Amino acid sequence: MDDPAPPHQLFDTILVLDFGSQYTHLITRRLRELNVYSEMLPCTQKLADLTWKPKGVILSGGPYSVYASDAPHVDPEVFNLDVPILGICYGLQELAWHFGKNVLAGEKREYGRAALNIHPRNGQEAHVSRLFEGLPDDMDVWMSHGDKLSRLPDDFITIATSANSPYAAIAHESKEYYGVQFHPEVTHTPKGTQVIRNFAVSICKARQNWTMEAFRDKEVERIRKLVGPKGQVIGAVSGGVDSTVAAKLMHEAIGDRFHAVMVDNGVLRKDEAKQVKQTLTKNLGVNLTVVDASERFLSLLKGVEDPEKKRKIIGNTFIEIFEEEAKKIAKEAENTPRAGNIEYFLQGTLYPDVIESISFKGPSATIKTHHNVGGLPEKMNLKLIEPLRELFKDEVRAIGTELGIAEELVWRHPFPGPGLAIRIIGEVTPEKVRIVQEADAIFMEELKAGKTKDGTSLYRDISQAFAALFVDKAVGVVGDQRLHGYVIALRAVKTTDFMTAKAYWFDEEFASRVSDRIGNEVQGVARVVYEWTSKPPATIELE
Ligand SMILES: Nc1ncnc2c1ncn2[C@@H]1O[C@H](COP(=O)(O)OP(=O)(O)OP(=O)(O)O)[C@@H](O)[C@H]1O
Ligand SMILES: O=c1[nH]c(=O)c2[nH+]cn([C@@H]3O[C@H](COP(=O)(O)O)[C@@H](O)[C@H]3O)c2[nH]1
Ligand SMILES: NC(=O)CC[C@H](N)C(=O)O
Ligand SMILES: [Mg+2]
């Protein structure tokens, strides 16, 4: 069955066509922050293939030059949609190229801050374009371009200038086509959001009804239609925010016909399986089976030192266990009122994963397809159901709050599937797992209690933190006795996208309290070290 009601059918949608700029996803984000729904598609999208009509179209920036022979161009059908269009940087140049081939290489690149002059129509009567309503006559904007317009396309007017860009913004006001040379989507353009709001809300008349409450109601409805009155769904949950929110949504939609499975692989955080069971079953009412496979995993990991081998063993065993569980669940349901095929597999795919697989990276570059949980549904002949595939992480967190999920869970740091196995360098043994679990629990307790200068908890201020175990032992002294013990490494990083990250700085008092506690309370630890490396060159996890 086709998707009964995707958000672009239910919400006024601004279509963002991506020409490969590294900021394109920010345009979508800014719109969503204004409660206007937006989706991004590659600039090569054929509009005849689109099953819905956008309220407006934004053409993004991009690394190409519109006049180059291999430059990407928008489907000209966009100009027959009869909706407003905003071109940003390359997008502005694309408008100018389409309407008159008026673009050439500039003498020098303009990169960085520029003062924009939102001026009266060429010095004659005062005229402020609707695109700039509510903005001051002069404002800071951020530019990044080398090409420029040689002259205005017919019937366009100049609506703003800068010292280096006489056509910093242009408009065809009756057709409602606008182009800006600067980037309103980046934070270096402080009032950029107002420009985007003017376009989406005043010019396109998109309703600002994209809220997580509305999304939730509509998504629950959509899942019900998709799954039908008898269909059953299984899903892997980890206790992480994505799978928890997805599971709760499924539960709202189809109740006990959703079966959540959590695998205790023996390398979870301290008491994790118990806590997740408690939260999902008792607090959220989700039907959850925890499969204790810790011994199976730990015996397979015995003697294995290579990080990639460890990851493979965990990934493969995870799939085997999931298949076994799916069979059990289907069998148990055989003679009950909820008998029906397990047809769907729930996956917590987020919009950044989708964006990564559709963004336009260049005419010759292959476009990557993102797979979340490696190959599982294909092997099991299940159809995917992905309730979060249109959401950014902060939207997932907002909907988690909306669904009544505890704040502690909503703001949980990410935890990788292979768990502590990639935080213990070298062979994983039950003793090492215990030591890392205990050290980690102390670190987390202190992070949750500790406060930054402005009163937020350290845990919330940090993007991800954990304790890990280095490979060699070191000598320490405990109660006048020599101790040849383990070395715990603490890591805490700040990041927005987990692609790059910076080590977090703690004050002396906090650092010594945590290290004293771990040294005193965790048997077998001789030293506690702090990991200062940024990403790059390091990764966040140790392996
Ligand atoms: N121990 C586990 N048992 C069952 N499923 C798991 C387990 N660990 C990971 N998964 C599955 O793998 C998916 C990907 O894990 P990932 O860590 O990226 O997401 P998450 O755990 O939901 O959220 P977060 O990124 O906040 O940790 C999870 O959504 C879940 O479906
Ligand atoms: O679900 C997961 N399965 C994995 O195999 C995995 N490896 C890394 N991570 C998480 O990804 C982010 C970036 O990690 P790295 O800098 O170590 O690559 C960090 O947030 C890591 O915790 C994983 N998550
Ligand atoms: N940021 C952009 O979109 C740049 C557009 C074009 N490549 C230029 O240099 O002018
Ligand atoms: Mg996780």
Side-chain angles (χ1 to χ4, degrees):
M1 176 178 178
D2 283 339
D3 196 337
H8 54 233
Q9 303 280 15
L10 301 170
F11 296 87
D12 288 352
T13 305
I14 302 290
L15 171 62
V16 176
L17 290 174
D18 175 38
F19 284 89
S21 155
Q22 58 195 119
Y23 309 114
T24 310
H25 69 283
L26 289 178
I27 307 172
T28 308
R29 293 201 57 124
R30 294 287 104 83
L31 287 159
R32 301 258 193 113
E33 283 159 15
L34 293 165
N35 303 108
V36 173
Y37 186 65
S38 164
E39 277 185 21
M40 176 182 143
L41 288 172
C43 57
T44 47
Q45 175 68 40
K46 288 273 162 280
L47 289 165
D49 296 340
L50 214 60
T51 54
W52 49 282
K53 186 174 173 177
K55 291 290 281 186
V57 177
I58 297 183
L59 310 177
S60 85
Y64 314 92
S65 289
V66 283
Y67 47 78
S69 58
D70 57 352
H73 293 292
V74 68
D75 179 356
E77 280 303 311
V78 78
F79 302 105
N80 296 328
L81 278 179
D82 201 23
V83 297
I85 299 175
L86 170 66
I88 295 175
C89 204
Y90 185 97
L92 154 90
Q93 296 163 7
E94 177 69 358
L95 283 176
W97 190 250
H98 179 83
F99 289 106
K101 309 265 181 288
N102 313 329
V103 182
L104 40 84
E107 290 84 56
K108 64 176 180 28
R109 246 188 110 65
E110 188 179 15
Y111 185 87
R113 222 174 69 179
L116 190 76
N117 174 23
I118 298 165
H119 67 159
R121 189 183 293 192
N122 300 330
Q124 293 165 26
E125 82 211 59
H127 171 85
V128 173
S129 164
R130 288 167 68 200
L131 192 64
F132 297 129
E133 246 162 39
L135 288 165
D137 287 347
D138 291 291
M139 67 171 192
D140 280 350
V141 297
W142 192 79
M143 299 265 195
S144 169
H145 67 114
D147 298 330
K148 62 175 191 187
L149 267 54
S150 52
R151 58 181 175 81
L152 274 178
D154 290 347
D155 302 323
F156 276 72
I157 56 167
T158 303
I159 55 173
T161 58
S162 75
N164 282 314
S165 294
Y167 307 111
I170 65 170
H172 186 308
E173 295 207 306
S174 60
K175 281 195 191 301
E176 301 186 301
Y177 294 161
Y178 299 85
V180 293
Q181 188 58 71
F182 62 93
H183 286 268
E185 71 276 26
V186 303
T187 49
H188 312 292
T189 299
K191 297 200 162 66
T193 301
Q194 181 66 27
V195 177
I196 293 174
R197 181 203 305 268
N198 286 344
F199 177 71
V201 180
S202 320
I203 297 169
C204 300
K205 305 203 168 46
R207 276 171 300 170
Q208 290 170 284
N209 55 358
W210 173 252
T211 61
M212 286 305 106
E213 195 187 351
F215 171 77
R216 181 188 79 171
D217 294 347
K218 291 184 167 152
E219 188 58 17
V220 163
E221 197 61 10
R222 186 187 78 98
I223 295 169
R224 280 190 193 132
K225 282 200 188 123
L226 192 66
V227 176
K230 293 201 98 184
Q232 303 206 59
V233 177
I234 52 169
V237 302
S238 61
V241 58
D242 307 339
S243 51
T244 306
V245 169
K248 180 66 183 157
L249 262 178
M250 288 305 300
H251 179 73
E252 298 255 302
I254 60 166
D256 282 351
R257 285 184 291 133
F258 171 62
H259 308 271
V261 177
M262 180 195 197
V263 179
D264 181 349
N265 53 14
V267 281
L268 301 176
R269 282 171 287 204
K270 191 177 175 189
D271 297 330
E272 178 104 346
K274 249 188 267 164
Q275 278 168 14
V276 173
K277 174 94 186 166
Q278 161 103 17
T279 316
L280 274 123
T281 322
K282 294 228 177 81
N283 307 351
L284 302 182
V286 172
N287 187 352
L288 170 78
T289 311
V290 177
V291 183
D292 182 0
S294 46
E295 276 175 25
R296 181 160 161 188
F297 278 90
L298 289 174
S299 70
L300 287 165
L301 288 169
K302 204 167 170 206
V304 182
E305 294 187 357
D306 180 66
E308 282 309 302
K309 271 205 194 121
K310 291 202 273 187
R311 281 174 176 270
K312 277 214 182 80
I313 290 171
I314 293 172
N316 293 341
T317 314
F318 175 77
I319 291 176
E320 281 169 28
I321 290 174
F322 211 84
E323 282 178 318
E324 293 164 16
E325 280 315 300
K327 281 193 198 123
K328 269 194 223 159
I329 290 167
K331 209 164 167 43
E332 275 163 20
E334 249 170 23
N335 297 312
T336 71
R338 54 183 173 77
N341 282 340
I342 294 194
E343 247 184 290
Y344 286 95
F345 175 76
L346 170 81
Q347 199 163 256
T349 312
L350 301 192
Y351 203 49
D353 306 336
V354 177
I355 284 185
E356 208 175 303
S357 62
I358 60 177
S359 84
F360 182 73
K361 296 272 160 60
S364 58
T366 42
I367 293 167
K368 185 173 117 193
T369 322
H370 198 103
H371 297 284
N372 215 352
V373 177
L376 194 59
E378 202 184 323
K379 262 188 106 173
M380 296 173 63
N381 281 322
L382 290 172
K383 285 180 262 177
L384 278 183
I385 186 159
E386 304 180 310
L388 310 178
R389 65 175 280 123
E390 276 88 19
L391 306 188
F392 289 104
K393 189 96 172 180
D394 50 338
E395 292 177 320
V396 172
R397 289 191 155 134
I399 197 171
T401 308
E402 178 67 36
L403 285 164
I405 299 174
E407 186 181 323
E408 196 179 305
L409 218 154
V410 166
W411 288 98
R412 199 157 209 210
H413 292 175
F415 184 71
L420 304 182
I422 56 173
R423 295 178 178 173
I424 292 172
I425 296 184
E427 188 190 358
V428 178
T429 65
E431 188 195 18
K432 291 183 191 169
V433 171
R434 174 197 54 88
I435 287 178
V436 179
Q437 282 177 335
E438 286 179 13
D440 191 73
I442 292 170
F443 191 26
M444 292 307 123
E445 191 185 313
E446 292 293 343
L447 286 175
K448 284 172 187 163
K451 297 267 183 283
T452 62
K453 280 194 198 86
D454 62 13
T456 29
S457 86
L458 290 175
Y459 186 86
R460 270 290 285 276
D461 197 40
I462 289 166
S463 316
Q464 192 172 9
F466 53 85
L469 212 134
F470 274 3
V471 69
D472 286 318
K473 287 192 170 183
V475 172
V477 52
V478 177
D480 296 334
Q481 299 269 329
R482 176 183 190 273
L483 168 70
H484 192 218
Y486 289 106
V487 183
I488 282 288
L490 300 179
R491 184 140 174 77
V493 295
K494 267 194 99 122
T495 170
T496 47
D497 55 9
F498 295 88
M499 304 293 283
T500 60
K502 274 189 103 59
Y504 193 82
W505 285 75
F506 292 107
D507 64 35
E508 193 182 329
E509 195 214 320
F510 181 86
S512 52
R513 188 168 57 249
V514 173
S515 95
D516 287 352
R517 278 199 61 193
I518 292 174
N520 289 329
E521 295 173 37
V522 187
Q523 219 185 13
V525 173
R527 283 168 194 241
V528 178
V529 300
Y530 189 66
E531 234 256 49
W532 285 110
T533 342
S534 292
K535 174 183 180 176
T539 55
I540 295 173
E541 301 292 345
L542 263 60
E543 286 192 337

